[in-house]
Amino acid sequence: MVKLLEARGLSFAYPSGLRAVDGVDFEADRGELVCIAGPNGAGKSTLLKLLAGLEKPSAGTVQLEGAPLARTRAKVRARKIALLPQTLTALPDVTVKRFVAYGRYAHQGVFTRATAEDGRAVARALEQADVADLGQRLLTELSSGQRQRALVARALAQEAELLLVDEPTNALDPEHQIAVFELLARLSCEGHAAVVVTHDLNLASQFATRVGLVAEGRKVADGVPGEVLVREVLEPVYGSKLAYGEMAADGGESRSFIVPWRG
């Protein structure tokens, strides 16, 4: 069966010669929430850009529903893939509602105005990301955590099947960290696919259906959280400054937790 997203032998090198991604195989399908973890400089964000088609691989292929991503028209790609970056390089001087409405452009013609369905999609996205009360505020007036939630809302308004998300819980308080992952998990259960780069191993443990661990541009592990988020897999990548334990989740299932520890 054809996967929603599939990459084979993916590599990327910067002009300096630094190889940020080195021969990575990756896939994600509807119903999955895949977390990509790894230390700083491991190539996680570069891998996400390759999967989104924002960078051209030096080797390997990315396929979207069995077709080469590089040959997919930009409008079609925008309807299928929503990319949520860590931060915005520049902040547009617009309201949150207007910013979130940008996510609907892939569904509109060049000369068409926003439809009632566009309005409903924006309203749903604002509510889901818990920024409905900020709709008339300027993006430049928000805290970094509020802006992060506005970014989530814009991606949701796009209504893409595949969500590529780069560290969505940066600058968020614990309640909103959980809320963002609960939302991504619910969307996955509804038939979307979510690929999430995260440093938070505990959130990955609680919500991921699968975890891919990368180091020095290579994928070193891929499996369910209970297989990857364990000492024998993590210690060669992160070192020994971690403490491990287990805690019962909803329904009585135990999940591991990992915290930085001086030892």
Side-chain angles (χ1 to χ4, degrees), residues 110-252:
V110 177
F111 301 108
T112 59
R113 294 186 176 185
T115 64
E117 178 53 37
D118 291 325
R120 288 190 290 269
V122 170
R124 282 194 301 270
L126 289 165
E127 190 68 34
Q128 288 175 318
D130 195 22
V131 288
D133 60 330
L134 303 176
Q136 299 308 314
R137 295 269 302 276
L138 291 174
L139 200 65
T140 52
E141 297 174 348
L142 303 185
S143 70
S144 56
Q146 289 170 329
R147 284 198 296 270
Q148 192 71 9
R149 283 150 51 201
L151 274 168
V152 172
R154 186 182 66 171
L156 294 176
Q158 199 170 328
E159 293 186 322
E161 292 181 77
L162 174 63
L163 296 168
L164 301 177
V165 190
D166 198 356
E167 299 190 34
T169 56
N170 274 0
L172 295 186
D173 58 65
E175 181 178 355
H176 282 103
Q177 290 178 22
I178 293 290
V180 165
F181 265 86
E182 285 179 338
L183 176 57
L184 293 171
R186 179 165 60 79
L187 290 169
S188 298
C189 289
E190 291 173 355
H192 296 263
V195 178
V196 186
V197 167
T198 182
H199 281 294
D200 196 318
L201 301 178
N202 294 319
L203 290 172
S205 175
Q206 292 178 66
F207 291 100
T209 57
R210 210 171 81 242
V211 177
L213 184 64
V214 295
E216 298 180 343
R218 299 181 180 90
K219 187 170 68 173
V220 296
D222 188 347
V224 297
E227 295 172 345
V228 177
L229 301 178
V230 294
R231 184 188 301 273
E232 54 267 32
V233 176
L234 295 180
E235 195 163 289
V237 172
Y238 286 102
S240 60
K241 301 295 185 181
L242 295 173
Y244 301 80
E246 287 194 356
M247 185 174 291
D250 291 343

Side-chain angles (χ1 to χ4, degrees), residues 62-77:
V62 181
Q63 292 195 320
L64 182 65
E65 294 185 313
L69 182 63
R71 298 179 190 171
T72 305
R73 290 189 297 115
K75 193 102 175 183
V76 174
R77 186 186 304 176

Side-chain angles (χ1 to χ4, degrees), residues 15-64:
S16 64
L18 174 67
R19 188 172 288 274
V21 177
D22 190 3
V24 170
D25 292 342
F26 184 86
E27 60 186 40
D29 210 355
R30 297 168 183 86
E32 289 192 302
L33 196 169
V34 185
C35 283
I36 301 175
N40 291 332
K44 303 183 298 298
S45 294
T46 302
L47 175 59
L48 209 65
K49 290 177 182 177
L50 291 168
L51 297 176
L54 296 183
E55 295 283 7
K56 182 179 179 180
S58 52
T61 60
V62 181
Q63 292 195 320
L64 182 65

